[in-house]
Amino acid sequence: RPRARHARRRNMCVPPARKEKNGVPMVGRMGGGAKGCVGKEVYLDDLTATRNEAVFAPPAFVTSWLKRNLNDERDMEIAVLLFNIAVTMWPAAVLLFNYPSHILGACYFAVFNAVFMQRFILAMHYSTHRRLFKPGTWAGETLNKLNICLYAPMFGIPCNTYRLHHIVMHHVDNNQWNKDLSATEAYQRDNVLHWVCYWVRFMAGSWVELPYYSFKKRRWDLFAGCSGGFALTLASWYGAWVYGSPAFATWTCFVPFVAVSTALMFGNWSQHAFVCPVNPRCNYRLTYAVLNHPDNQKSYNDGFHTLHHANSMTHWSEFPNVFVQKLDEHARRDALVFNGIGFFHVGFALFTRNHGYLADHYVNVGQPKRTREELIALMKERLAPMSTWRNKDEFPESKKATKAA
């Protein structure tokens, strides 16, 4: 009899075959799932959507060289985007240096940031988590640092600081207040004024908090790299103003710094707006997933942010398939999932207190059934500032995943 019970339990763990449409699996239904709150079926179109990160294809010889030198050929989209930036944005910056003009500078900033900023931030993000080029050689190690040392400053991100902030701090401390510079949990996340405080703290505080963090952790290599990166950034700004021109410095240094700081903090605020007060370190309850939105094809599937925090080494191309495999995990841990909107839609909806808009885009993948009003109440509970900060997590797998990240 015990053997029979074990067999039944084992069979219950086998997920049923999922309904499909045009080869795309159904992952849930719109709405909370309670009576009168069951909407249309949701299919994961992100599985088959065409990638849109690279703007144009490079010459054949460049593609051939990249294939030989990439650490993972699936990262061709990242490498091609970096090539796109190198052959368009860099020559334009040289042109602005030689022919300084506020009109030309404003056009430079508007065009290249509209086309490249979102794409680059996520390209830098995933190529920092996983090396882009084959390591082990001087050339490979040098190329792997270009994203945060050379490309990042073009968009206003201080040189050689991103890895410390994002990989070492954000993923290790996992949005924990007084540890993670970009932690959101102490704020009311649907209050614009709270976001302004958050934004100002990052812009001003990062220059001190990041070096101090690495110093306190006795990570001397990171302390030297970060401090040197900040110093080099300030020196380059001074040089751009004195040896270039005020117009050149304004549109290639100062305005990009403010713009990218705003984009980074609005994006991270939106991604970590919903934090469960009972289990704030649970990777399925400190962020959420957004499905079937065009931003996923421009941001290397960044909409699957829950999975990224659960295992930061999962390759970005695998997220849609892993999401289908982990649907039961999302359901068991009562994760938030939205369909047809991106992180920025979520952020703007919160700033306008339009919680109903978010409830209308909620996807039930097996979470407890709720009415629309109950969904709104759940979201408001996860938006409230936390008065105590702890590592409590009723899901032991979460702790393991956080440490691995």
Side-chain angles (χ1 to χ4, degrees):
R1 187 174 299 174
R3 189 176 299 168
R5 274 201 303 269
H6 177 72
R8 283 198 300 271
R9 194 181 301 119
R10 184 176 56 202
N11 290 336
M12 287 172 64
C13 293
V14 178
R18 300 197 178 277
K19 183 177 179 181
E20 292 188 355
K21 183 169 70 176
N22 299 324
V24 177
M26 175 183 167
V27 293
R29 284 183 175 273
M30 300 294 292
K35 187 176 181 180
C37 198
V38 179
K40 66 177 183 179
E41 298 172 343
V42 176
Y43 294 84
L44 192 59
D45 295 325
D46 288 319
L47 273 168
T48 57
T50 302
R51 304 251 45 97
N52 193 29
E53 286 88 1
V55 180
F56 56 88
F61 74 91
V62 174
T63 302
S64 177
W65 185 88
L66 290 173
K67 285 182 177 179
R68 292 195 306 271
N69 291 278
L70 284 175
N71 196 37
D72 188 329
E73 199 170 318
R74 294 175 298 177
D75 287 324
M76 182 63 74
E77 287 286 335
I78 295 178
V80 171
L81 176 70
L82 297 182
F83 171 82
N84 292 166
I85 294 170
V87 298
T88 57
M89 194 170 180
W90 291 0
V94 173
L95 180 67
L96 181 60
F97 180 85
N98 287 292
Y99 301 96
S101 158
H102 281 291
I103 294 176
L104 184 61
C107 292
Y108 163 90
F109 170 78
V111 170
F112 288 114
N113 280 270
V115 175
F116 289 132
M117 181 193 278
Q118 180 189 22
R119 291 176 165 96
F120 170 72
I121 289 174
L122 276 306
M124 175 183 64
H125 170 245
Y126 287 112
S127 60
T128 305
H129 275 286
R130 296 169 59 102
R131 290 173 176 166
L132 185 60
F133 294 97
K134 292 176 181 177
T137 64
W138 179 86
E141 296 298 341
T142 301
L143 289 171
N144 282 326
K145 289 183 173 64
L146 291 183
N147 59 349
I148 60 174
C149 293
L150 185 59
Y151 280 87
M154 295 288 292
F155 290 90
I157 300 171
C159 174
N160 201 34
T161 59
Y162 182 79
R163 182 176 180 273
L164 170 59
H165 173 226
H166 185 77
I167 307 293
V168 180
M169 178 185 282
H170 179 63
H171 273 275
V172 173
D173 294 321
N174 221 22
N175 199 51
Q176 187 169 359
W177 181 250
N178 287 334
K179 290 187 176 182
D180 181 357
L181 169 65
S182 51
T184 59
E185 60 188 21
Y187 302 92
Q188 179 67 44
R189 272 91 64 192
D190 56 359
N191 186 313
V192 180
L193 293 179
H194 279 225
W195 177 80
V196 171
C197 295
Y198 174 78
W199 170 65
V200 170
R201 182 203 170 186
F202 175 80
M203 282 213 305
S206 60
W207 298 83
V208 176
E209 290 190 48
L210 286 177
Y212 175 71
Y213 178 89
S214 54
F215 180 84
K216 187 171 66 173
K217 296 285 186 181
R218 298 180 180 274
R219 297 290 299 272
W220 308 121
D221 56 334
L222 293 174
F223 174 75
C226 175
S227 301
F230 277 133
L232 189 59
T233 297
L234 292 174
S236 68
W237 290 2
Y238 175 81
W241 182 277
V242 174
Y243 300 106
S245 67
F248 177 75
T250 297
W251 296 105
T252 63
C253 301
F254 308 140
V255 173
F257 171 70
V258 174
V260 81
S261 297
T262 304
L264 285 169
M265 289 303 96
F266 183 69
N268 193 74
W269 176 279
S270 301
Q271 289 175 331
H272 294 282
F274 299 107
V275 181
C276 177
V278 179
N279 303 294
R281 301 285 79 75
C282 174
N283 292 306
Y284 288 79
R285 294 189 179 191
L286 57 78
T287 184
Y288 55 93
V290 289
L291 315 178
N292 300 328
H293 188 270
D295 277 356
N296 280 347
Q297 282 70 62
K298 292 196 297 183
S299 64
Y300 306 92
N301 288 322
D302 195 49
F304 298 91
H305 207 64
T306 306
L307 295 175
H308 177 61
H309 268 267
N311 184 351
S312 63
M313 292 306 292
T314 300
H315 193 270
W316 60 266
S317 65
E318 298 172 0
F319 282 141
N321 278 307
V322 175
F323 180 78
V324 176
Q325 297 166 10
K326 297 282 188 178
L327 275 175
D328 293 339
E329 199 77 352
H330 284 75
R332 186 173 74 87
R333 301 189 182 194
D334 203 10
L336 294 176
V337 180
F338 299 102
N339 179 60
I341 57 175
F343 290 122
F344 283 83
H345 297 81
V346 174
F348 283 118
L350 293 177
F351 282 174
T352 56
R353 302 289 179 92
N354 195 354
H355 307 96
Y357 171 82
L358 299 176
D360 293 337
H361 286 83
Y362 176 84
V363 182
N364 189 291
V365 299
Q367 306 97 316
K369 294 180 180 180
R370 296 182 175 95
T371 64
R372 187 174 186 270
E373 291 71 26
E374 288 170 336
L375 283 176
I376 292 173
L378 173 69
M379 286 188 280
K380 287 183 176 179
E381 179 186 60
R382 295 190 183 184
L383 289 167
M386 294 166 54
S387 57
T388 58
W389 298 278
R390 52 190 175 177
N391 284 309
K392 181 181 178 182
D393 185 354
E394 67 191 38
F395 306 110
E397 297 92 332
S398 273
K399 293 181 181 178
K400 195 180 298 181
T402 300
K403 288 179 181 177

